Amino acid sequence: TQLLAAAGAGRIILVDADVVERINLSRQFLHTEERIGMNKAQSAAIALRQINPDLRVEVFAGTADDASLPALVRAADVVVDCCDNSRTRHAVNRACLAARRPLVTGACLRGSGQVAVFDFREPGGPCYACAFPEDEESDLKASAHGVLTSATGVVGAAQAAEAIKVATAVGRPLRSRLMLLSVLEGEAQVFNLCADPGCPVCARRSREAA
């Protein structure tokens, strides 16, 4: 979000129910020692306003779930998923699909990361659940398994770039593509993603719409 604020975003909606902990400071650069114990969305808002005083920052200090996400997603032009668990990622995916909002998703673990774009404004493309079925994905968290600080920086920068490309229609976003990054190996690979005709999320919705 620092890069989006610095790039001149007009409005950013921050959603987070957690509070800042000391262990977050090594990889979540918006927070400071002084704001330990503060809600993360409120802490991030302070940092973003310092970067861009003209930025309109809205804070939702609650849980991102199937109840709260529909309204939050409808209020956004592009959704950037920086979740730390698969349950929330799938809820964000469902909300973006329903509202037809483009989704930029990213995740990090140890020295690796991934970034993908699912643009639900275009029919027929895959959704997050096509690539990562909810009943097959193991919920590995950076807090439990560790993550290289520079890996979060690389993935975050890539997500910001993708969000800017989608919002401004400049360049070639990672639409229906998955980028895998390894900071430790110095490698990056990009794979095409296809819609799963048996996907319980987007295939069912496509059938209902037809």
Side-chain angles (χ1 to χ4, degrees):
T1 48
Q2 298 105 310
L3 295 177
L4 294 177
R11 179 174 63 113
I12 293 178
I13 303 171
L14 300 170
V15 181
D16 206 319
D18 292 338
V19 298
V20 179
E21 300 179 64
R22 182 167 283 105
I23 60 172
N24 302 142
L25 301 182
S26 65
R27 65 183 187 276
Q28 297 176 16
F29 309 123
L30 288 172
H31 310 306
T32 64
E33 183 85 17
E34 293 74 22
R35 296 202 290 273
I36 289 176
M38 181 183 291
N39 171 264
K40 285 184 177 179
Q42 294 172 341
S43 172
I46 294 172
L48 295 183
R49 292 185 182 115
Q50 291 174 341
I51 295 172
N52 181 357
D54 296 323
L55 174 65
R56 177 183 168 191
V57 183
E58 300 177 15
V59 171
F60 180 77
T63 302
D65 55 24
D66 288 322
S68 63
L69 281 168
L72 292 166
V73 166
R74 286 195 301 269
D77 296 316
V78 181
V79 176
V80 182
D81 159 33
C82 307
C83 305
D84 65 355
N85 66 88
S86 63
R87 180 190 297 272
T88 307
R89 289 193 188 100
H90 283 283
V92 171
N93 175 66
R94 291 190 294 270
C96 288
L97 176 64
R100 297 188 181 279
R101 294 296 190 271
L103 168 62
V104 179
T105 181
C108 276
L109 191 67
R110 303 186 181 97
S112 301
Q114 63 188 42
V115 180
V117 175
F118 301 95
D119 195 340
F120 299 118
R121 298 172 300 183
E122 302 177 353
C127 75
Y128 183 84
C130 292
F132 304 99
E134 191 165 8
D135 59 352
E136 295 179 11
E137 186 180 12
S138 57
D139 196 1
L140 301 177
K141 294 186 178 182
S143 59
H145 296 272
V147 63
L148 190 64
T149 298
S150 53
T152 62
V154 170
V155 169
Q159 284 187 270
E162 293 303 315
I164 291 169
K165 289 191 290 183
V166 171
T168 61
V170 171
R172 184 190 177 200
L174 283 167
R175 286 190 179 95
S176 302
R177 293 186 294 156
L178 173 69
M179 177 186 290
L180 299 181
L181 304 161
S182 173
V183 174
L184 293 177
E185 301 297 330
E187 295 179 348
Q189 297 175 294
V190 178
F191 300 90
N192 292 324
L193 299 175
C194 297
D196 178 2
C199 176
V201 179
C202 64
R204 180 181 61 190
R205 185 171 294 274
S206 296
R207 290 192 297 268
E208 291 172 351

